Amino acid sequence: MKIAVIGAGIGGLSTAVGLQRAGAEVTVFERAPEVRAGGSGLSIFANGLAALESLGLREAFDAVTDSSVEGFAAGQRRADGHWIAQVPDDSVGALRIVDRADLHRILLDALAPGTVRTGTEATATGTDGTLTIRARSADDSSTMESKAERFDLIIGADGLHSRVRTVVDGEPVAPRYSGYSAWRGITSVSVDLSGEAGESVGHGRRFGIAPLADGRVYWFAVANMPRNAVFADEKATIEQMFTGWHSPIAELIAATPAEEVVRRTAISDLSRRLRRYHRGRVVLVGDAAHAMTPNLGQGGGQALEDAAMLTVLLAPLISKSPGPEANRPERMVEQAEIPVSAAGAGAGAGARAGAGVNSADDVGTRAGMNPAHDAGPRASAPADLAAALSRYDSLRRPRTQSIAQKSRLMGQVFQLESPLLARLRNAVFSAVPSRLIAAQAASVQKWSPPTM
């Protein structure tokens, strides 16, 4: 089975690892000139660890993480350090905090050389498995080499601003700004946390603390602000915003070089739920399918679940398919070189056209599809592939969309700006029985891949 993955983030790379190990011919297309992911951490709970185990990546992951974080006191504190609510030890289960750079290295190392093609833009123009692929010419001139190529399956892993999402859902789904933005950083030296981590909440502001295996600390600072807010000095702004907050918040910020404070991110999710996660020979994973706010620490975990689920469901089909050469539905179709400006205009023309037109072809054009690519026998996936993708959709869509909704609600609660409402929030959380906190945590973190 010949598979294209668009996007080299956690979802795309982990899916590529699983499917390549199952025997598929996999190519990952990444628009950026290099795969980079550093300067921030990631929480991986029991469900994400189960996905890593299913993908055969757990041993490598355990080598760069540490289980000692499970013994830290965690939950929510006030700005003065007083605990509002602590998460019961038995509700956290397995937990690891990983440097994103380490996780990306593990995923890249698990792929065969040449699997990832950076500096390459791949556009799905329909649901029949056709990609338009544009890459810089060998002499890095102002032209893009352009060609069309057919795949048995295209996996959209192109993130929050996914183009593939529109092909699958049929209409654009815009990102929705949450009203708050976040800075992230990792200290350059070890910092003693005295066995305490978690989040501290104030009025429209939050600060999160998570220890890494080598003693460094991953932290994040969140504040309500307009989406396009501008600050002359980002690190100085963080220091000012959290002046007077409990120790070791000031120490963590001071221990992070200004150039290592990750660029502020406008926290966003999807403006509506997708109606489907697959269509024809195209399927979505990660943020392309269910971009969520990070308030439950599940963005990475859900992407890993997607990867493990797809691998389990597609592995039986891959094992039955012929070798890569025999399996190719069509040989590559070469096209003339196209100037960069023309290539860019063509890529976006379909998405801009046909507003308000109701014919089937015009709907496809608005969605970025080429109707000609959806008209032939390959427009629909073979019955066994369609069944596997339908099961993926039925298993993943309800779970991920529910978690995304819970995460957004949690963010709204913890970003309350009114002092009165913030005090009420703190009082309510202080009164919540620990068994309810444990049950809520377990409902999100309990997951295992399906059996075939």
Side-chain angles (χ1 to χ4, degrees), residues 118-121 134-145 340:
T118 56
T120 304
E121 179 180 319
R134 297 182 175 91
R136 286 285 177 188
S137 57
D139 60 359
D140 197 29
S141 66
S142 60
T143 61
M144 298 279 277
E145 296 177 349
V340 173

Side-chain angles (χ1 to χ4, degrees), residues 325-376:
E325 290 298 326
N327 193 53
R328 291 185 180 180
E330 280 192 9
R331 300 299 295 172
M332 190 181 301
V333 180
E334 297 290 346
Q335 297 177 351
E337 288 187 351
I338 301 174
V340 173
S341 59
R352 295 192 300 270
V357 183
N358 295 319
S359 73
D361 284 354
D362 284 327
V363 169
T365 302
R366 292 203 309 276
M369 302 177 201
N370 182 339
H373 286 170
D374 293 320

Side-chain angles (χ1 to χ4, degrees), residues 127-129 150 152 280-281 329-330 371-383 385-386:
T127 63
D128 68 345
R150 282 280 185 90
D152 294 295
R281 293 177 180 268
E330 280 192 9
H373 286 170
D374 293 320
R378 281 182 51 84
S380 297
L385 178 59

